[in-house]
Amino acid sequence: MADRDTERRGGGRRRHETARLDQPREAVRRWLPRPTVDKETFGVLSEAFARWMGTAQFLVLMTVFVGLWLAWNTFLPPSAQFDPRAQNYTLLTLILSLQASYAAPLILLAQNRQDNRDRVAIESDRARDERNLADTEFLTREVASLRLATRDNATRDFVRSELRSLLEEMEERGYLRTPEPTDDTDDEASSA
């Protein structure tokens, strides 16, 4: 009866059920074992190899290798040649193609890792720049508020200059008279 209900509603039972979280997975047998490779170690090694391939040492060694290969297979007797000139150095071409086919993905892997490092560095620089900008804006606001606050307060130098100008103005108008020297000093000396 239950089978008829499911056939009417959904057209039959599902062949592959979705994975349930409350049940352990069944072990799946693989035809070939998967090698376990540490991605970080492989990435570091590939970067080191890609860096070495970009050096003059690699170019010189590769040139010496190809030169020795060509000299061996060109100038030695045909019985000693393992990749004869008559076959257009087929083995050398195969080796160089194989080296290039492995070098290109390793170089791309190294570039991707460098791009990831650059992206992280750019994001941290951007975050640091945003913090610096926020700090600078805060300090600018604080300095502006201090300037506004100090404009209302009279400084000591300002008060002194205002008092001097008032004294000079009062002296010019005659409100203040400078005392004239008197002979009081002579009277005090004689009384003693």
Side-chain angles (χ1 to χ4, degrees):
M1 181 89 170
D3 290 343
R4 289 182 196 162
D5 291 339
T6 54
E7 285 178 4
R8 281 187 225 143
R9 280 187 259 142
R13 291 186 179 202
R14 293 183 190 168
R15 180 172 254 185
H16 299 286
E17 292 185 18
T18 58
R20 294 184 53 176
L21 297 177
D22 61 342
Q23 295 179 353
R25 289 186 186 176
E26 293 182 25
V28 179
R29 297 181 87 186
R30 302 198 187 278
W31 291 99
L32 295 174
R34 287 188 179 176
T36 56
V37 178
D38 182 24
K39 290 182 180 181
E40 185 63 26
T41 304
F42 186 76
V44 168
L45 291 175
S46 67
E47 283 180 335
F49 186 72
R51 243 183 247 113
W52 181 68
M53 287 180 65
T55 63
Q57 179 186 13
F58 175 78
L59 292 174
V60 168
L61 289 174
M62 194 65 163
T63 303
V64 168
F65 172 76
V66 170
L68 288 174
W69 187 287
L70 292 174
W72 183 281
N73 291 300
T74 302
F75 300 119
L76 287 179
S79 62
Q81 294 178 3
F82 52 87
D83 188 19
R85 181 178 181 195
Q87 294 178 354
N88 293 325
Y89 308 110
T90 307
L91 187 57
L92 177 64
T93 305
L94 179 67
I95 289 173
L96 292 177
S97 297
L98 185 65
Q99 183 261 339
S101 68
Y102 275 98
L106 288 176
I107 291 170
L108 289 174
L109 176 66
Q111 286 177 343
N112 289 340
R113 287 174 54 88
Q114 183 62 43
D115 288 344
N116 290 339
R117 281 193 299 270
D118 291 344
R119 185 173 28 260
V120 168
I122 287 169
E123 288 172 3
S124 67
D125 288 347
R126 182 178 298 129
R128 187 181 62 238
D129 290 344
E130 287 174 358
R131 284 191 309 268
N132 288 342
L133 180 62
D135 290 344
T136 303
E137 288 174 351
F138 172 75
L139 290 174
T140 303
R141 286 191 302 271
E142 288 296 313
V143 168
S145 67
L146 286 174
R147 283 185 177 171
L148 289 173
T150 56
R151 284 185 188 160
D152 296 339
N153 297 334
T155 62
R156 183 177 59 190
D157 294 335
F158 174 75
V159 171
R160 283 184 180 168
S161 66
E162 289 296 315
L163 287 175
R164 281 190 197 114
S165 64
L166 280 174
L167 281 172
E168 289 172 0
E169 187 178 323
M170 289 174 74
E171 284 176 355
E172 288 175 3
R173 293 187 180 177
Y175 295 123
L176 291 179
R177 294 193 181 137
T178 56
E180 294 181 12
T182 59
D183 291 336
D184 292 340
T185 54
D186 293 337
D187 294 337
E188 290 175 7
S190 59
S191 63

